[in-house]
Amino acid sequence: MFEQSASSQAFPPAAAEVSTPPRDRPAPQRDPFIEHYFKRIDPKVAASFTPEQCAAIKNMFGARGVAKHAVELRRSLPIGRRRYYLVLLLGRERRGFDRLFSEGAVSGPFTFFGYAITAALWLIPAGLLAVVLQALL
């Protein structure tokens, strides 16, 4: 009634059955996204994933990749008997205003606070420079 063909194509080939690519074709490039997530698991387990499985994992995580920031500071601080972490990320904002607003990242007080920090970051060095120049002259 129901017949299944005994095809060897139903499962991915075992590691011993996989042949090396011919020398006229370049080897496939390593995917940095997959390498980032696979570096925390056993290399034997990571090698057992097929390209289709790797693509599915990449699709599941949204293929966001590893973000690069202009300033990326990650530290673990011992305070008393516990450890706390500090993360400072600085970079250009790539999200649109609509997305920022829908996520609640943009609001009146927060925007004012951001402008105050920006002004302080510009005024503090300018004030220090003025004091140094006045001392020299």
Side-chain angles (χ1 to χ4, degrees), residues 39-56:
K39 69 182 173 186
R40 292 187 232 152
I41 64 173
D42 182 22
K44 292 179 183 177
V45 174
S48 70
F49 281 82
T50 65
E52 292 81 17
Q53 289 170 328
C54 292

PDB file of all heavy atoms in Angstrom, residues 39-56:
ATOM      1  N   LYS A  39      31.572  28.260  17.880  1.00  0.00           N
ATOM      2  CA  LYS A  39      32.829  28.174  18.621  1.00  0.00           C
ATOM      3  C   LYS A  39      32.601  27.794  20.082  1.00  0.00           C
ATOM      4  O   LYS A  39      33.539  27.468  20.785  1.00  0.00           O
ATOM      5  CB  LYS A  39      33.625  29.465  18.504  1.00  0.00           C
ATOM      6  CG  LYS A  39      33.043  30.658  19.214  1.00  0.00           C
ATOM      7  CD  LYS A  39      33.908  31.875  18.962  1.00  0.00           C
ATOM      8  CE  LYS A  39      33.246  33.119  19.522  1.00  0.00           C
ATOM      9  NZ  LYS A  39      34.001  34.309  19.173  1.00  0.00           N
ATOM     10  N   ARG A  40      31.340  27.812  20.538  1.00  0.00           N
ATOM     11  CA  ARG A  40      31.044  27.439  21.911  1.00  0.00           C
ATOM     12  C   ARG A  40      30.636  25.976  22.068  1.00  0.00           C
ATOM     13  O   ARG A  40      30.330  25.552  23.165  1.00  0.00           O
ATOM     14  CB  ARG A  40      29.917  28.317  22.446  1.00  0.00           C
ATOM     15  CG  ARG A  40      30.344  29.757  22.598  1.00  0.00           C
ATOM     16  CD  ARG A  40      29.274  30.555  23.290  1.00  0.00           C
ATOM     17  NE  ARG A  40      28.979  31.716  22.482  1.00  0.00           N
ATOM     18  CZ  ARG A  40      27.822  32.325  22.453  1.00  0.00           C
ATOM     19  NH1 ARG A  40      26.827  31.882  23.146  1.00  0.00           N
ATOM     20  NH2 ARG A  40      27.655  33.375  21.699  1.00  0.00           N
ATOM     21  N   ILE A  41      30.587  25.227  20.980  1.00  0.00           N
ATOM     22  CA  ILE A  41      30.208  23.824  21.080  1.00  0.00           C
ATOM     23  C   ILE A  41      31.367  22.940  20.643  1.00  0.00           C
ATOM     24  O   ILE A  41      32.337  23.417  20.058  1.00  0.00           O
ATOM     25  CB  ILE A  41      28.933  23.511  20.249  1.00  0.00           C
ATOM     26  CG1 ILE A  41      29.178  23.724  18.765  1.00  0.00           C
ATOM     27  CG2 ILE A  41      27.760  24.328  20.715  1.00  0.00           C
ATOM     28  CD1 ILE A  41      28.018  23.283  17.900  1.00  0.00           C
ATOM     29  N   ASP A  42      31.239  21.664  20.927  1.00  0.00           N
ATOM     30  CA  ASP A  42      32.277  20.691  20.599  1.00  0.00           C
ATOM     31  C   ASP A  42      32.536  20.701  19.083  1.00  0.00           C
ATOM     32  O   ASP A  42      31.592  20.647  18.296  1.00  0.00           O
ATOM     33  CB  ASP A  42      31.817  19.304  21.061  1.00  0.00           C
ATOM     34  CG  ASP A  42      32.853  18.223  20.808  1.00  0.00           C
ATOM     35  OD1 ASP A  42      34.037  18.561  20.669  1.00  0.00           O
ATOM     36  OD2 ASP A  42      32.461  17.041  20.767  1.00  0.00           O
ATOM     37  N   PRO A  43      33.792  20.789  18.643  1.00  0.00           N
ATOM     38  CA  PRO A  43      34.086  20.826  17.210  1.00  0.00           C
ATOM     39  C   PRO A  43      33.547  19.609  16.450  1.00  0.00           C
ATOM     40  O   PRO A  43      33.157  19.729  15.297  1.00  0.00           O
ATOM     41  CB  PRO A  43      35.612  20.875  17.149  1.00  0.00           C
ATOM     42  CG  PRO A  43      36.039  21.423  18.456  1.00  0.00           C
ATOM     43  CD  PRO A  43      35.008  20.979  19.449  1.00  0.00           C
ATOM     44  N   LYS A  44      33.525  18.446  17.087  1.00  0.00           N
ATOM     45  CA  LYS A  44      32.982  17.260  16.413  1.00  0.00           C
ATOM     46  C   LYS A  44      31.497  17.424  16.147  1.00  0.00           C
ATOM     47  O   LYS A  44      31.001  17.034  15.087  1.00  0.00           O
ATOM     48  CB  LYS A  44      33.232  16.008  17.254  1.00  0.00           C
ATOM     49  CG  LYS A  44      34.683  15.622  17.343  1.00  0.00           C
ATOM     50  CD  LYS A  44      34.858  14.388  18.203  1.00  0.00           C
ATOM     51  CE  LYS A  44      36.334  14.048  18.364  1.00  0.00           C
ATOM     52  NZ  LYS A  44      36.534  12.895  19.246  1.00  0.00           N
ATOM     53  N   VAL A  45      30.781  18.016  17.105  1.00  0.00           N
ATOM     54  CA  VAL A  45      29.346  18.246  16.924  1.00  0.00           C
ATOM     55  C   VAL A  45      29.132  19.311  15.850  1.00  0.00           C
ATOM     56  O   VAL A  45      28.266  19.159  14.981  1.00  0.00           O
ATOM     57  CB  VAL A  45      28.685  18.663  18.248  1.00  0.00           C
ATOM     58  CG1 VAL A  45      27.235  19.039  18.048  1.00  0.00           C
ATOM     59  CG2 VAL A  45      28.805  17.541  19.278  1.00  0.00           C
ATOM     60  N   ALA A  46      29.924  20.360  15.872  1.00  0.00           N
ATOM     61  CA  ALA A  46      29.788  21.426  14.880  1.00  0.00           C
ATOM     62  C   ALA A  46      30.046  20.901  13.472  1.00  0.00           C
ATOM     63  O   ALA A  46      29.380  21.298  12.520  1.00  0.00           O
ATOM     64  CB  ALA A  46      30.747  22.569  15.204  1.00  0.00           C
ATOM     65  N   ALA A  47      31.010  19.984  13.328  1.00  0.00           N
ATOM     66  CA  ALA A  47      31.336  19.434  12.012  1.00  0.00           C
ATOM     67  C   ALA A  47      30.234  18.523  11.495  1.00  0.00           C
ATOM     68  O   ALA A  47      30.152  18.262  10.297  1.00  0.00           O
ATOM     69  CB  ALA A  47      32.652  18.672  12.078  1.00  0.00           C
ATOM     70  N   SER A  48      29.360  18.057  12.379  1.00  0.00           N
ATOM     71  CA  SER A  48      28.314  17.133  11.944  1.00  0.00           C
ATOM     72  C   SER A  48      27.117  17.836  11.298  1.00  0.00           C
ATOM     73  O   SER A  48      26.268  17.185  10.714  1.00  0.00           O
ATOM     74  CB  SER A  48      27.828  16.297  13.135  1.00  0.00           C
ATOM     75  OG  SER A  48      27.098  17.108  14.040  1.00  0.00           O
ATOM     76  N   PHE A  49      27.046  19.173  11.398  1.00  0.00           N
ATOM     77  CA  PHE A  49      25.931  19.904  10.806  1.00  0.00           C
ATOM     78  C   PHE A  49      26.084  19.966   9.286  1.00  0.00           C
ATOM     79  O   PHE A  49      27.167  20.212   8.770  1.00  0.00           O
ATOM     80  CB  PHE A  49      25.855  21.327  11.364  1.00  0.00           C
ATOM     81  CG  PHE A  49      25.226  21.409  12.722  1.00  0.00           C
ATOM     82  CD1 PHE A  49      25.964  21.145  13.854  1.00  0.00           C
ATOM     83  CD2 PHE A  49      23.894  21.748  12.859  1.00  0.00           C
ATOM     84  CE1 PHE A  49      25.398  21.222  15.106  1.00  0.00           C
ATOM     85  CE2 PHE A  49      23.314  21.833  14.102  1.00  0.00           C
ATOM     86  CZ  PHE A  49      24.070  21.562  15.231  1.00  0.00           C
ATOM     87  N   THR A  50      24.985  19.783   8.593  1.00  0.00           N
ATOM     88  CA  THR A  50      24.987  19.892   7.139  1.00  0.00           C
ATOM     89  C   THR A  50      24.835  21.362   6.757  1.00  0.00           C
ATOM     90  O   THR A  50      24.404  22.176   7.579  1.00  0.00           O
ATOM     91  CB  THR A  50      23.826  19.092   6.525  1.00  0.00           C
ATOM     92  OG1 THR A  50      22.592  19.689   6.941  1.00  0.00           O
ATOM     93  CG2 THR A  50      23.874  17.630   6.938  1.00  0.00           C
ATOM     94  N   PRO A  51      25.157  21.727   5.521  1.00  0.00           N
ATOM     95  CA  PRO A  51      24.955  23.121   5.096  1.00  0.00           C
ATOM     96  C   PRO A  51      23.494  23.561   5.220  1.00  0.00           C
ATOM     97  O   PRO A  51      23.218  24.712   5.545  1.00  0.00           O
ATOM     98  CB  PRO A  51      25.409  23.121   3.636  1.00  0.00           C
ATOM     99  CG  PRO A  51      26.394  22.003   3.557  1.00  0.00           C
ATOM    100  CD  PRO A  51      25.896  20.962   4.514  1.00  0.00           C
ATOM    101  N   GLU A  52      22.556  22.634   4.990  1.00  0.00           N
ATOM    102  CA  GLU A  52      21.135  22.975   5.122  1.00  0.00           C
ATOM    103  C   GLU A  52      20.793  23.294   6.574  1.00  0.00           C
ATOM    104  O   GLU A  52      20.029  24.218   6.854  1.00  0.00           O
ATOM    105  CB  GLU A  52      20.248  21.830   4.615  1.00  0.00           C
ATOM    106  CG  GLU A  52      20.335  21.592   3.117  1.00  0.00           C
ATOM    107  CD  GLU A  52      21.552  20.759   2.711  1.00  0.00           C
ATOM    108  OE1 GLU A  52      22.163  20.086   3.587  1.00  0.00           O
ATOM    109  OE2 GLU A  52      21.922  20.803   1.534  1.00  0.00           O
ATOM    110  N   GLN A  53      21.357  22.527   7.507  1.00  0.00           N
ATOM    111  CA  GLN A  53      21.099  22.788   8.920  1.00  0.00           C
ATOM    112  C   GLN A  53      21.715  24.116   9.345  1.00  0.00           C
ATOM    113  O   GLN A  53      21.100  24.881  10.090  1.00  0.00           O
ATOM    114  CB  GLN A  53      21.660  21.648   9.779  1.00  0.00           C
ATOM    115  CG  GLN A  53      20.885  20.355   9.643  1.00  0.00           C
ATOM    116  CD  GLN A  53      21.591  19.189  10.305  1.00  0.00           C
ATOM    117  OE1 GLN A  53      22.828  19.145  10.344  1.00  0.00           O
ATOM    118  NE2 GLN A  53      20.819  18.248  10.834  1.00  0.00           N
ATOM    119  N   CYS A  54      22.915  24.413   8.853  1.00  0.00           N
ATOM    120  CA  CYS A  54      23.553  25.692   9.171  1.00  0.00           C
ATOM    121  C   CYS A  54      22.737  26.858   8.627  1.00  0.00           C
ATOM    122  O   CYS A  54      22.563  27.881   9.302  1.00  0.00           O
ATOM    123  CB  CYS A  54      24.969  25.735   8.610  1.00  0.00           C
ATOM    124  SG  CYS A  54      26.103  24.598   9.415  1.00  0.00           S
ATOM    125  N   ALA A  55      22.196  26.708   7.420  1.00  0.00           N
ATOM    126  CA  ALA A  55      21.364  27.758   6.833  1.00  0.00           C
ATOM    127  C   ALA A  55      20.086  27.949   7.645  1.00  0.00           C
ATOM    128  O   ALA A  55      19.629  29.081   7.843  1.00  0.00           O
ATOM    129  CB  ALA A  55      21.030  27.424   5.384  1.00  0.00           C
ATOM    130  N   ALA A  56      19.510  26.852   8.147  1.00  0.00           N
ATOM    131  CA  ALA A  56      18.300  26.954   8.961  1.00  0.00           C
ATOM    132  C   ALA A  56      18.589  27.670  10.276  1.00  0.00           C
ATOM    133  O   ALA A  56      17.789  28.494  10.735  1.00  0.00           O
ATOM    134  CB  ALA A  56      17.736  25.560   9.226  1.00  0.00           C
TER     135      ALA A  56
END
